[in-house]
């Protein structure tokens, strides 16, 4: 299989896997199989999906390096954009259906509930990352693009804090995802230390954040 065919196959799989939660939710809703509170159901599904895809996007570079699967790199931007897509759908449902766009209540929620504050921080960090993910912004920002996109780790940590805080009792799922994120961050630190001890090689913008 040629490199191009492999890239196309990978992107097709990413599209199919990332769209599955949305298609599943619409399917359940249309068939009347959604829970008694479909808004609540979507809030949970979109939030979880956003976190999982975000962490998956951070796993791309380590997996590429460990297994020398260079083609994987082609999926990173797409995964990041899908994570943002679900985050927008999640926040949109909260703002419109849960709070009826009542900005004073929304503000109260943000300042009074650390759980909502951490979600807001995660979202606020994801916005500039999504906006600057185009080739034009990568060119324009140069090395600053790499610095800016390191914020994805802070966004993921804030999202996980939000996920953990939001659980009523059982926090095993968010802790499991947090362990994966910690391992990915440790791998990143390890590589930076190694690179520095070797005298440092140049990092291409658009290739270093994950
Ligand atoms: C303005 C920003 C945000 C607000 C106001 C918000 C609000 C909420 C609310 C109201 C819930 C449901 C809590 C419950 O019913 O128990 C929730 C759950 C959740 N949110 Fe957010 N969220 C925000 C941003 C984010 C972002 C950016 C992510 C991920 C990248 C995220 C991931 C999650 C997860 C994983 C859950 C838990 C789902 C579950 O337990 O099934 N949220 N969020």
């Amino acid at each position: 299989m040629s490199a191009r065919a492999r890239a196309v196959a990978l992107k097709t799989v990413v599209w199919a896997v990332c769209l599955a939660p949305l298609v599943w939710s619409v399917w359940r809703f249309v068939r009347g199989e959604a829970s008694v509170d479909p808004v609540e159901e979507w809030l949970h599904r979109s939030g979880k999906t956003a976190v999982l895809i975000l962490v998956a996007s951070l796993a791309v570079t380590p997996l590429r390096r460990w297994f020398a699967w260079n083609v994987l790199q082609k999926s990173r931007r797409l995964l990041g954009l899908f994570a943002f897509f679900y985050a927008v759908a999640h926040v949109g449902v909260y703002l419109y259906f849960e709070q009826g766009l009542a900005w004073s209540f929304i503000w109260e929620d943000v300042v009074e509930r650390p759980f909502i504050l951490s979600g807001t921080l995660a979202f606020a960090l994801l916005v500039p990352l999504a906006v600057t993910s185009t080739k034009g912004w990568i060119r324009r920002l140069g090395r600053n693009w790499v610095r800016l996109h390191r914020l994805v780790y802070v966004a993921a940590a804030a999202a996980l804090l939000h996920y953990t805080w939001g659980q009523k009792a059982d926090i095993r799922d968010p802790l499991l995802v947090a362990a994966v994120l910690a391992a990915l961050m440790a791998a990143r630190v390890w590589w930076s230390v190694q690179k520095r001890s070797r005298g440092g090689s140049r990092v291409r913008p658009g290739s270093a954040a994950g």
Side-chain angles (χ1 to χ4, degrees), residues 49-161:
T49 308
V51 165
L52 292 179
I53 299 180
L54 191 59
V55 173
S57 75
L58 294 175
V60 166
T61 303
L63 289 176
R64 175 181 66 84
R65 287 188 185 173
W66 278 324
F67 300 108
W69 290 340
N70 287 338
V71 68
L72 276 186
Q73 206 63 14
K74 305 260 178 217
S75 66
R76 207 182 57 177
R77 179 168 171 269
L78 193 54
L79 285 169
L81 288 174
F82 263 118
F84 185 64
F85 165 78
Y86 279 102
V88 169
H90 177 73
V91 174
V93 162
Y94 164 82
L95 294 176
Y96 190 80
F97 290 104
E98 285 244 310
Q99 298 289 12
L101 296 180
W103 299 105
S104 56
F105 286 124
I106 293 167
W107 177 247
E108 238 173 67
D109 224 11
V110 172
V111 293
E112 282 177 7
R113 295 169 76 196
F115 151 67
I116 295 292
L117 182 64
S118 52
T120 307
L121 174 67
F123 189 68
L125 288 169
L126 289 178
V127 172
L129 301 184
V131 169
T132 58
S133 68
T134 61
K135 284 195 177 120
W137 274 105
I138 293 173
R139 218 181 15 252
R140 234 169 287 154
L141 292 176
R143 287 196 59 78
N144 286 331
W145 188 93
V146 176
R147 290 192 191 107
L148 176 70
H149 277 250
R150 282 192 186 128
L151 284 178
V152 69
Y153 287 97
V154 185
L160 271 165
L161 195 61

Side-chain angles (χ1 to χ4, degrees), residues 1-13 71:
M1 204 191 251
S2 71
R4 196 180 146 68
R6 258 180 290 154
V8 171
L10 175 72
K11 281 189 180 173
T12 308
V13 171
V71 68

Side-chain angles (χ1 to χ4, degrees), residues 40 43-44 47-48 90-91 94 115 119-120 162-163 167-168:
E40 181 77 9
L43 200 59
H44 284 259
K48 263 190 209 165
H90 177 73
V91 174
Y94 164 82
F115 151 67
T120 307
H162 169 72
Y163 186 5
Q167 300 304 301
K168 308 280 181 287

